[in-house]
mmCIF file of all heavy atoms in Angstrom:
data_model
loop_
_atom_site.group_PDB
_atom_site.id
_atom_site.type_symbol
_atom_site.label_atom_id
_atom_site.label_comp_id
_atom_site.label_asym_id
_atom_site.label_seq_id
_atom_site.Cartn_x
_atom_site.Cartn_y
_atom_site.Cartn_z
ATOM 1 N N ARG B 132 114.664 80.856 123.994
ATOM 2 C CA ARG B 132 114.630 79.986 125.167
ATOM 3 C C ARG B 132 115.375 78.684 124.899
ATOM 4 O O ARG B 132 115.256 78.097 123.823
ATOM 5 C CB ARG B 132 113.196 79.658 125.555
ATOM 6 C CG ARG B 132 112.528 80.723 126.376
ATOM 7 C CD ARG B 132 111.121 80.323 126.749
ATOM 8 N NE ARG B 132 110.291 80.114 125.568
ATOM 9 C CZ ARG B 132 109.054 79.678 125.590
ATOM 10 N NH1 ARG B 132 108.506 79.358 126.750
ATOM 11 N NH2 ARG B 132 108.364 79.524 124.494
ATOM 12 N N GLY B 133 116.106 78.230 125.871
ATOM 13 C CA GLY B 133 116.842 76.982 125.754
ATOM 14 C C GLY B 133 118.259 77.130 125.242
ATOM 15 O O GLY B 133 119.079 76.227 125.438
ATOM 16 N N GLN B 134 118.539 78.250 124.581
ATOM 17 C CA GLN B 134 119.909 78.462 124.110
ATOM 18 C C GLN B 134 120.820 78.851 125.253
ATOM 19 O O GLN B 134 120.371 79.040 126.392
ATOM 20 C CB GLN B 134 119.924 79.566 123.049
ATOM 21 C CG GLN B 134 119.321 79.171 121.715
ATOM 22 C CD GLN B 134 119.515 80.244 120.661
ATOM 23 O OE1 GLN B 134 119.199 81.412 120.883
ATOM 24 N NE2 GLN B 134 120.034 79.852 119.498
ATOM 25 N N GLN B 135 122.103 78.939 124.950
ATOM 26 C CA GLN B 135 123.043 79.432 125.945
ATOM 27 C C GLN B 135 123.735 80.672 125.389
ATOM 28 O O GLN B 135 123.722 80.928 124.184
ATOM 29 C CB GLN B 135 124.061 78.369 126.338
ATOM 30 C CG GLN B 135 125.143 78.124 125.302
ATOM 31 C CD GLN B 135 126.337 77.375 125.909
ATOM 32 O OE1 GLN B 135 126.238 76.763 126.977
ATOM 33 N NE2 GLN B 135 127.457 77.425 125.231
ATOM 34 N N VAL B 136 124.323 81.459 126.291
ATOM 35 C CA VAL B 136 124.948 82.699 125.877
ATOM 36 C C VAL B 136 126.208 82.944 126.703
ATOM 37 O O VAL B 136 126.276 82.536 127.873
ATOM 38 C CB VAL B 136 123.955 83.878 126.044
ATOM 39 C CG1 VAL B 136 123.643 84.128 127.513
ATOM 40 C CG2 VAL B 136 124.477 85.134 125.394
ATOM 41 N N THR B 137 127.181 83.564 126.070
ATOM 42 C CA THR B 137 128.421 83.953 126.765
ATOM 43 C C THR B 137 128.639 85.440 126.586
ATOM 44 O O THR B 137 128.600 85.952 125.456
ATOM 45 C CB THR B 137 129.631 83.183 126.204
ATOM 46 O OG1 THR B 137 129.435 81.774 126.403
ATOM 47 C CG2 THR B 137 130.907 83.611 126.916
ATOM 48 N N LEU B 138 128.835 86.131 127.700
ATOM 49 C CA LEU B 138 129.096 87.565 127.699
ATOM 50 C C LEU B 138 130.530 87.804 128.140
ATOM 51 O O LEU B 138 131.036 87.074 129.006
ATOM 52 C CB LEU B 138 128.141 88.286 128.652
ATOM 53 C CG LEU B 138 126.650 87.930 128.558
ATOM 54 C CD1 LEU B 138 125.859 88.772 129.547
ATOM 55 C CD2 LEU B 138 126.141 88.122 127.153
ATOM 56 N N SER B 139 131.139 88.838 127.578
ATOM 57 C CA SER B 139 132.541 89.091 127.858
ATOM 58 C C SER B 139 132.744 90.457 128.494
ATOM 59 O O SER B 139 132.007 91.408 128.201
ATOM 60 C CB SER B 139 133.350 89.001 126.563
ATOM 61 O OG SER B 139 134.714 89.233 126.795
ATOM 62 N N CYS B 140 133.744 90.550 129.351
ATOM 63 C CA CYS B 140 134.057 91.786 130.047
ATOM 64 C C CYS B 140 135.565 91.967 130.129
ATOM 65 O O CYS B 140 136.277 91.051 130.575
ATOM 66 C CB CYS B 140 133.459 91.742 131.447
ATOM 67 S SG CYS B 140 133.984 93.092 132.533
ATOM 68 N N SER B 141 136.049 93.136 129.724
ATOM 69 C CA SER B 141 137.462 93.478 129.889
ATOM 70 C C SER B 141 137.565 94.598 130.909
ATOM 71 O O SER B 141 137.023 95.683 130.697
ATOM 72 C CB SER B 141 138.070 93.927 128.560
ATOM 73 O OG SER B 141 138.132 92.853 127.654
ATOM 74 N N PRO B 142 138.240 94.349 132.033
ATOM 75 C CA PRO B 142 138.314 95.370 133.087
ATOM 76 C C PRO B 142 139.280 96.481 132.719
ATOM 77 O O PRO B 142 140.023 96.375 131.747
ATOM 78 C CB PRO B 142 138.829 94.572 134.289
ATOM 79 C CG PRO B 142 139.650 93.479 133.694
ATOM 80 C CD PRO B 142 138.957 93.124 132.403
ATOM 81 N N ILE B 143 139.249 97.514 133.536
ATOM 82 C CA ILE B 143 140.222 98.596 133.393
ATOM 83 C C ILE B 143 141.617 98.011 133.620
ATOM 84 O O ILE B 143 141.806 97.152 134.500
ATOM 85 C CB ILE B 143 139.911 99.711 134.399
ATOM 86 C CG1 ILE B 143 138.590 100.390 134.015
ATOM 87 C CG2 ILE B 143 141.036 100.738 134.458
ATOM 88 C CD1 ILE B 143 138.054 101.358 135.053
ATOM 89 N N SER B 144 142.575 98.467 132.848
ATOM 90 C CA SER B 144 143.933 97.961 132.962
ATOM 91 C C SER B 144 144.449 98.092 134.398
ATOM 92 O O SER B 144 144.347 99.155 135.026
ATOM 93 C CB SER B 144 144.843 98.753 132.023
ATOM 94 O OG SER B 144 146.177 98.343 132.153
ATOM 95 N N GLY B 145 144.971 96.966 134.931
ATOM 96 C CA GLY B 145 145.491 96.977 136.291
ATOM 97 C C GLY B 145 144.487 96.513 137.335
ATOM 98 O O GLY B 145 144.858 96.234 138.477
ATOM 99 N N HIS B 146 143.211 96.453 136.978
ATOM 100 C CA HIS B 146 142.193 95.962 137.914
ATOM 101 C C HIS B 146 142.149 94.439 137.843
ATOM 102 O O HIS B 146 142.051 93.858 136.761
ATOM 103 C CB HIS B 146 140.813 96.523 137.558
ATOM 104 C CG HIS B 146 140.661 97.978 137.820
ATOM 105 N ND1 HIS B 146 139.439 98.619 137.795
ATOM 106 C CD2 HIS B 146 141.576 98.933 138.136
ATOM 107 C CE1 HIS B 146 139.613 99.901 138.073
ATOM 108 N NE2 HIS B 146 140.904 100.113 138.265
ATOM 109 N N ARG B 147 142.160 93.805 139.016
ATOM 110 C CA ARG B 147 142.163 92.344 139.042
ATOM 111 C C ARG B 147 140.843 91.757 139.526
ATOM 112 O O ARG B 147 140.626 90.558 139.441
ATOM 113 C CB ARG B 147 143.309 91.859 139.932
ATOM 114 C CG ARG B 147 144.692 92.162 139.335
ATOM 115 C CD ARG B 147 145.786 92.019 140.358
ATOM 116 N NE ARG B 147 145.886 90.667 140.884
ATOM 117 C CZ ARG B 147 146.611 90.337 141.943
ATOM 118 N NH1 ARG B 147 147.270 91.268 142.603
ATOM 119 N NH2 ARG B 147 146.670 89.094 142.339
ATOM 120 N N SER B 148 139.993 92.604 140.068
ATOM 121 C CA SER B 148 138.707 92.122 140.567
ATOM 122 C C SER B 148 137.605 92.500 139.570
ATOM 123 O O SER B 148 137.513 93.652 139.139
ATOM 124 C CB SER B 148 138.410 92.765 141.927
ATOM 125 O OG SER B 148 137.112 92.427 142.355
ATOM 126 N N VAL B 149 136.801 91.510 139.213
ATOM 127 C CA VAL B 149 135.681 91.723 138.291
ATOM 128 C C VAL B 149 134.413 91.158 138.916
ATOM 129 O O VAL B 149 134.407 90.027 139.415
ATOM 130 C CB VAL B 149 135.933 91.033 136.930
ATOM 131 C CG1 VAL B 149 134.691 91.138 136.061
ATOM 132 C CG2 VAL B 149 137.131 91.668 136.226
ATOM 133 N N SER B 150 133.356 91.958 138.893
ATOM 134 C CA SER B 150 132.059 91.520 139.412
ATOM 135 C C SER B 150 131.014 91.621 138.311
ATOM 136 O O SER B 150 131.136 92.439 137.400
ATOM 137 C CB SER B 150 131.622 92.399 140.586
ATOM 138 O OG SER B 150 132.534 92.305 141.652
ATOM 139 N N TRP B 151 129.982 90.802 138.430
ATOM 140 C CA TRP B 151 128.879 90.805 137.480
ATOM 141 C C TRP B 151 127.570 91.051 138.212
ATOM 142 O O TRP B 151 127.354 90.532 139.320
ATOM 143 C CB TRP B 151 128.791 89.456 136.754
ATOM 144 C CG TRP B 151 129.886 89.198 135.770
ATOM 145 C CD1 TRP B 151 131.109 88.623 136.013
ATOM 146 C CD2 TRP B 151 129.854 89.507 134.364
ATOM 147 N NE1 TRP B 151 131.838 88.545 134.846
ATOM 148 C CE2 TRP B 151 131.090 89.065 133.828
ATOM 149 C CE3 TRP B 151 128.909 90.074 133.507
ATOM 150 C CZ2 TRP B 151 131.400 89.202 132.468
ATOM 151 C CZ3 TRP B 151 129.219 90.204 132.167
ATOM 152 C CH2 TRP B 151 130.452 89.769 131.660
ATOM 153 N N TYR B 152 126.685 91.814 137.561
ATOM 154 C CA TYR B 152 125.384 92.129 138.117
ATOM 155 C C TYR B 152 124.322 91.970 137.036
ATOM 156 O O TYR B 152 124.574 92.204 135.851
ATOM 157 C CB TYR B 152 125.342 93.570 138.649
ATOM 158 C CG TYR B 152 126.303 93.819 139.769
ATOM 159 C CD1 TYR B 152 127.635 94.146 139.525
ATOM 160 C CD2 TYR B 152 125.891 93.731 141.094
ATOM 161 C CE1 TYR B 152 128.536 94.351 140.559
ATOM 162 C CE2 TYR B 152 126.783 93.952 142.137
ATOM 163 C CZ TYR B 152 128.084 94.255 141.860
ATOM 164 O OH TYR B 152 128.962 94.470 142.885
ATOM 165 N N GLN B 153 123.117 91.622 137.483
ATOM 166 C CA GLN B 153 121.961 91.562 136.597
ATOM 167 C C GLN B 153 121.011 92.683 136.982
ATOM 168 O O GLN B 153 120.717 92.877 138.153
ATOM 169 C CB GLN B 153 121.249 90.212 136.760
ATOM 170 C CG GLN B 153 120.036 90.048 135.846
ATOM 171 C CD GLN B 153 119.142 88.904 136.279
ATOM 172 O OE1 GLN B 153 118.562 88.939 137.359
ATOM 173 N NE2 GLN B 153 119.002 87.888 135.430
ATOM 174 N N GLN B 154 120.544 93.428 135.982
ATOM 175 C CA GLN B 154 119.594 94.505 136.249
ATOM 176 C C GLN B 154 118.302 94.259 135.490
ATOM 177 O O GLN B 154 118.307 94.160 134.263
ATOM 178 C CB GLN B 154 120.176 95.871 135.854
ATOM 179 C CG GLN B 154 119.276 97.037 136.236
ATOM 180 C CD GLN B 154 119.884 98.392 135.931
ATOM 181 O OE1 GLN B 154 120.750 98.522 135.072
ATOM 182 N NE2 GLN B 154 119.452 99.414 136.648
ATOM 183 N N THR B 155 117.209 94.166 136.236
ATOM 184 C CA THR B 155 115.879 94.013 135.641
ATOM 185 C C THR B 155 114.942 95.024 136.275
ATOM 186 O O THR B 155 115.160 95.452 137.416
ATOM 187 C CB THR B 155 115.308 92.604 135.870
ATOM 188 O OG1 THR B 155 115.210 92.383 137.291
ATOM 189 C CG2 THR B 155 116.168 91.537 135.246
ATOM 190 N N PRO B 156 113.865 95.411 135.575
ATOM 191 C CA PRO B 156 112.912 96.376 136.159
ATOM 192 C C PRO B 156 112.276 95.858 137.451
ATOM 193 O O PRO B 156 112.042 96.622 138.370
ATOM 194 C CB PRO B 156 111.866 96.536 135.057
ATOM 195 C CG PRO B 156 112.575 96.175 133.788
ATOM 196 C CD PRO B 156 113.545 95.104 134.170
ATOM 197 N N GLY B 157 112.039 94.568 137.545
ATOM 198 C CA GLY B 157 111.352 94.036 138.711
ATOM 199 C C GLY B 157 112.251 93.801 139.910
ATOM 200 O O GLY B 157 111.882 94.085 141.048
ATOM 201 N N GLN B 158 113.436 93.298 139.676
ATOM 202 C CA GLN B 158 114.352 92.920 140.768
ATOM 203 C C GLN B 158 115.462 93.929 141.008
ATOM 204 O O GLN B 158 116.197 93.798 141.987
ATOM 205 C CB GLN B 158 114.975 91.549 140.466
ATOM 206 C CG GLN B 158 113.967 90.424 140.344
ATOM 207 C CD GLN B 158 113.210 90.222 141.637
ATOM 208 O OE1 GLN B 158 113.786 90.250 142.723
ATOM 209 N NE2 GLN B 158 111.911 90.061 141.532
ATOM 210 N N GLY B 159 115.590 94.907 140.142
ATOM 211 C CA GLY B 159 116.650 95.893 140.320
ATOM 212 C C GLY B 159 118.010 95.302 139.990
ATOM 213 O O GLY B 159 118.128 94.412 139.154
ATOM 214 N N LEU B 160 119.033 95.776 140.686
ATOM 215 C CA LEU B 160 120.404 95.324 140.452
ATOM 216 C C LEU B 160 120.755 94.241 141.448
ATOM 217 O O LEU B 160 120.716 94.456 142.659
ATOM 218 C CB LEU B 160 121.377 96.495 140.614
ATOM 219 C CG LEU B 160 121.550 97.355 139.387
ATOM 220 C CD1 LEU B 160 121.793 98.795 139.751
ATOM 221 C CD2 LEU B 160 122.707 96.839 138.556
ATOM 222 N N GLN B 161 121.116 93.083 140.929
ATOM 223 C CA GLN B 161 121.446 91.960 141.804
ATOM 224 C C GLN B 161 122.829 91.430 141.470
ATOM 225 O O GLN B 161 123.168 91.253 140.305
ATOM 226 C CB GLN B 161 120.408 90.849 141.653
ATOM 227 C CG GLN B 161 119.023 91.241 142.148
ATOM 228 C CD GLN B 161 118.075 90.067 142.057
ATOM 229 O OE1 GLN B 161 117.641 89.688 140.976
ATOM 230 N NE2 GLN B 161 117.760 89.490 143.195
ATOM 231 N N PHE B 162 123.569 91.117 142.498
ATOM 232 C CA PHE B 162 124.931 90.608 142.384
ATOM 233 C C PHE B 162 124.923 89.163 141.911
ATOM 234 O O PHE B 162 124.199 88.318 142.457
ATOM 235 C CB PHE B 162 125.597 90.722 143.749
ATOM 236 C CG PHE B 162 126.939 90.077 143.863
ATOM 237 C CD1 PHE B 162 128.071 90.683 143.333
ATOM 238 C CD2 PHE B 162 127.077 88.862 144.530
ATOM 239 C CE1 PHE B 162 129.311 90.091 143.462
ATOM 240 C CE2 PHE B 162 128.313 88.273 144.668
ATOM 241 C CZ PHE B 162 129.430 88.881 144.132
ATOM 242 N N LEU B 163 125.726 88.882 140.902
ATOM 243 C CA LEU B 163 125.864 87.521 140.394
ATOM 244 C C LEU B 163 127.091 86.829 140.993
ATOM 245 O O LEU B 163 126.970 85.804 141.656
ATOM 246 C CB LEU B 163 125.981 87.543 138.867
ATOM 247 C CG LEU B 163 124.674 87.691 138.104
ATOM 248 C CD1 LEU B 163 124.916 88.262 136.724
ATOM 249 C CD2 LEU B 163 123.967 86.349 138.008
ATOM 250 N N PHE B 164 128.269 87.340 140.693
ATOM 251 C CA PHE B 164 129.502 86.783 141.256
ATOM 252 C C PHE B 164 130.652 87.763 141.102
ATOM 253 O O PHE B 164 130.566 88.730 140.348
ATOM 254 C CB PHE B 164 129.902 85.427 140.641
ATOM 255 C CG PHE B 164 129.369 85.147 139.261
ATOM 256 C CD1 PHE B 164 129.799 85.886 138.176
ATOM 257 C CD2 PHE B 164 128.453 84.132 139.060
ATOM 258 C CE1 PHE B 164 129.314 85.623 136.906
ATOM 259 C CE2 PHE B 164 127.961 83.858 137.792
ATOM 260 C CZ PHE B 164 128.394 84.610 136.713
ATOM 261 N N GLU B 165 131.728 87.463 141.852
ATOM 262 C CA GLU B 165 132.930 88.284 141.806
ATOM 263 C C GLU B 165 134.134 87.378 141.642
ATOM 264 O O GLU B 165 134.223 86.321 142.276
ATOM 265 C CB GLU B 165 133.074 89.108 143.083
ATOM 266 C CG GLU B 165 134.348 89.951 143.108
ATOM 267 C CD GLU B 165 134.525 90.729 144.396
ATOM 268 O OE1 GLU B 165 133.739 90.518 145.330
ATOM 269 O OE2 GLU B 165 135.460 91.542 144.459
ATOM 270 N N TYR B 166 135.053 87.797 140.808
ATOM 271 C CA TYR B 166 136.286 87.054 140.568
ATOM 272 C C TYR B 166 137.487 87.922 140.881
ATOM 273 O O TYR B 166 137.473 89.139 140.660
ATOM 274 C CB TYR B 166 136.369 86.596 139.107
ATOM 275 C CG TYR B 166 135.438 85.459 138.808
ATOM 276 C CD1 TYR B 166 134.123 85.706 138.421
ATOM 277 C CD2 TYR B 166 135.851 84.145 138.953
ATOM 278 C CE1 TYR B 166 133.254 84.669 138.187
ATOM 279 C CE2 TYR B 166 134.985 83.098 138.710
ATOM 280 C CZ TYR B 166 133.685 83.369 138.327
ATOM 281 O OH TYR B 166 132.824 82.323 138.093
ATOM 282 N N PHE B 167 138.502 87.262 141.427
ATOM 283 C CA PHE B 167 139.772 87.925 141.698
ATOM 284 C C PHE B 167 140.880 86.922 141.431
ATOM 285 O O PHE B 167 140.860 85.823 141.991
ATOM 286 C CB PHE B 167 139.821 88.429 143.143
ATOM 287 C CG PHE B 167 141.132 89.036 143.529
ATOM 288 C CD1 PHE B 167 141.464 90.307 143.109
ATOM 289 C CD2 PHE B 167 142.041 88.330 144.309
ATOM 290 C CE1 PHE B 167 142.675 90.872 143.448
ATOM 291 C CE2 PHE B 167 143.260 88.894 144.656
ATOM 292 C CZ PHE B 167 143.572 90.157 144.231
ATOM 293 N N SER B 168 141.819 87.292 140.600
ATOM 294 C CA SER B 168 142.925 86.400 140.243
ATOM 295 C C SER B 168 142.439 85.017 139.846
ATOM 296 O O SER B 168 142.915 83.996 140.376
ATOM 297 C CB SER B 168 143.922 86.295 141.417
ATOM 298 O OG SER B 168 144.584 87.509 141.598
ATOM 299 N N GLU B 169 141.467 84.983 138.968
ATOM 300 C CA GLU B 169 140.923 83.743 138.369
ATOM 301 C C GLU B 169 140.141 82.889 139.358
ATOM 302 O O GLU B 169 139.779 81.747 139.030
ATOM 303 C CB GLU B 169 142.056 82.932 137.727
ATOM 304 C CG GLU B 169 142.847 83.693 136.677
ATOM 305 C CD GLU B 169 143.985 82.869 136.092
ATOM 306 O OE1 GLU B 169 143.703 81.840 135.457
ATOM 307 O OE2 GLU B 169 145.158 83.271 136.300
ATOM 308 N N THR B 170 139.873 83.389 140.560
ATOM 309 C CA THR B 170 139.141 82.636 141.577
ATOM 310 C C THR B 170 137.822 83.331 141.883
ATOM 311 O O THR B 170 137.787 84.556 142.032
ATOM 312 C CB THR B 170 139.969 82.533 142.871
ATOM 313 O OG1 THR B 170 141.207 81.890 142.582
ATOM 314 C CG2 THR B 170 139.211 81.738 143.933
#
Side-chain angles (χ1 to χ4, degrees):
Chain B
R132 278 181 299 175
Q134 288 187 309
Q135 75 163 18
V136 67
T137 299
L138 313 182
S139 180
C140 171
S141 293
I143 292 171
S144 177
H146 290 192
R147 292 165 62 192
S148 174
V149 173
S150 298
W151 289 88
Y152 298 85
Q153 181 196 64
Q154 186 176 24
T155 60
Q158 299 298 318
L160 276 147
Q161 294 184 286
F162 172 77
L163 280 157
F164 24 67
E165 178 182 7
Y166 286 88
F167 176 77
S168 291
E169 303 178 63
T170 301

